[in-house]
Amino acid sequence: MTTTNGTVRLAAMSDIHVSKTGQGALASIFAQVSERADLLAMCGDLTDYGLPEEARVLARDIGTALRVPCVTVLGNHDFEAGKQDEVRQILTDAGVTVLDGDSCELQGIGFAGVKGFCGGFGRGALGPWGEEIIKSFVREAVNEAFKLESALARLRTAHRVALLHYSPVRSTVEGEPPEIFPYLGSSRLEESAEAEHFVCDRRAEGKRSRNQTQRAPLDAFHSLVPRHGEFAFLPVDRNKEQRGGHQYCRNRPVEVLDDPRSSWISTATGQ
């Protein structure tokens, strides 16, 4: 697809869980993305068990059918077999940009990506108190947040996309059983984004960063983009400053306040 009028159409998908026997399952989806989008962002859980064999299946489908740049992060499933470094290398060799505390620029849009971690949201977030194993658990969430903050700080583009697997805010996991909310994400990720960027999210319009400096706004994707071979689109106008602050793509269309140009157009039915 050719970018027109300075607008980049970004396709997003997640939790595709490619298996060893899934060769060709995503080829038609990748072909559709190539026809209708300029970039593809994937938000982790690319493989079922984190096996190199599964990553090779995905890499072959990408090499066969995807004709636009692709950027991704890994998810918890991609760590299951302890082969995440090999999975990352296989995808990199297939031309995919795999982010882990890194940043990159594609077609004028800056991407920063981390897997993220869990621990809960807001006042319910787990704190580093008590046993050492609890402190280590919290430290992992803090480290992922620091990685995201550092990656975002390196970007100088007008449009920045934070690519995550774990959710950065509680509102994105609503609809799941409440008792598992703490295992689905951490608000420390959102706090890291706000440390360096002016944000204006749907819950607190006009909220500023701690240093009160207005900066380029941040767009955020996370684990609940359409799953299992479905995808959503976000049009990003490179000629205009983005409005609406954080944009959390869910498994159903989301209208971003203050900027109708940036509403989600979803091909998925959602649930």
Side-chain angles (χ1 to χ4, degrees):
M1 178 177 178
T2 303
T3 302
T4 58
N5 300 322
T7 298
V8 176
R9 286 182 64 81
L10 174 61
M13 60 192 302
S14 181
D15 292 71
I16 54 180
H17 293 282
V18 172
S19 68
K20 291 187 289 186
T21 59
Q23 189 69 59
L26 292 172
S28 63
I29 295 295
F30 288 151
Q32 290 180 54
V33 169
S34 298
E35 292 175 359
R36 302 175 61 189
D38 304 298
L39 299 170
L40 172 63
M42 298 193 294
C43 303
D45 279 3
L46 309 177
T47 61
D48 212 0
Y49 293 97
L51 297 172
E53 299 91 330
E54 297 169 337
R56 292 189 187 99
V57 169
L58 175 58
R60 284 193 289 270
D61 276 0
I62 289 173
T64 300
L66 189 63
R67 295 291 178 264
V68 296
C70 179
V71 59
T72 189
V73 294
L74 301 184
N76 56 306
H77 274 250
D78 304 316
F79 280 69
E80 170 61 22
K83 302 286 187 178
Q84 61 271 13
D85 290 340
E86 191 171 347
V87 168
R88 183 181 296 110
Q89 189 59 55
I90 291 168
L91 296 176
T92 299
D93 291 344
V96 178
T97 301
V98 184
L99 300 178
D100 180 22
D102 310 300
S103 58
C104 68
E105 181 179 337
L106 297 171
Q107 297 197 21
I109 300 173
F111 292 86
V114 296
K115 171 177 61 65
F117 199 59
C118 47
F121 306 98
R123 295 181 61 186
L126 183 65
W129 180 263
E131 298 93 325
E132 183 57 35
I133 194 169
I134 296 293
K135 296 175 182 177
S136 296
F137 186 94
V138 174
R139 191 177 303 120
E140 180 68 16
V142 171
N143 288 344
E144 287 292 295
F146 281 157
K147 284 163 58 178
L148 177 60
E149 182 175 357
S150 296
L152 287 167
R154 290 193 291 271
L155 292 172
R156 295 294 180 267
T157 53
H159 296 272
R160 310 179 193 188
V161 174
L163 194 61
L164 311 168
H165 178 67
Y166 284 91
S167 295
V169 292
R170 178 188 172 98
S171 63
T172 63
V173 301
E174 290 175 355
E176 301 285 350
E179 56 269 23
I180 70 170
F181 281 9
Y183 312 131
L184 301 179
S186 169
S187 55
R188 298 179 191 276
L189 296 164
E190 184 187 28
E191 292 165 1
S192 275
E194 292 174 359
E196 290 294 329
H197 300 269
F198 172 76
V199 298
C200 178
D201 65 26
R202 295 185 300 278
R203 294 168 295 107
E205 183 175 352
K207 182 167 51 178
R208 290 183 179 269
S209 61
R210 285 193 286 268
N211 63 12
Q212 296 296 300
T213 301
Q214 181 167 338
R215 304 210 178 176
L218 173 70
D219 312 319
F221 300 99
H222 58 84
S223 58
L224 292 184
V225 299
R227 298 176 172 185
H228 309 303
E230 299 168 328
F231 58 94
F233 284 117
L234 175 68
V236 180
D237 190 340
R238 294 182 303 183
N239 297 324
K240 298 181 181 180
E241 182 179 352
Q242 190 81 13
R243 302 290 183 185
H246 286 51
Q247 301 172 36
Y248 299 110
C249 176
R250 308 180 63 163
N251 59 346
R252 52 187 178 273
V254 174
E255 181 178 354
V256 181
L257 298 183
D258 301 327
D259 191 359
R261 294 179 296 102
S262 300
S263 298
W264 282 98
I265 304 171
S266 176
T267 63
T269 57
Q271 57 182 357

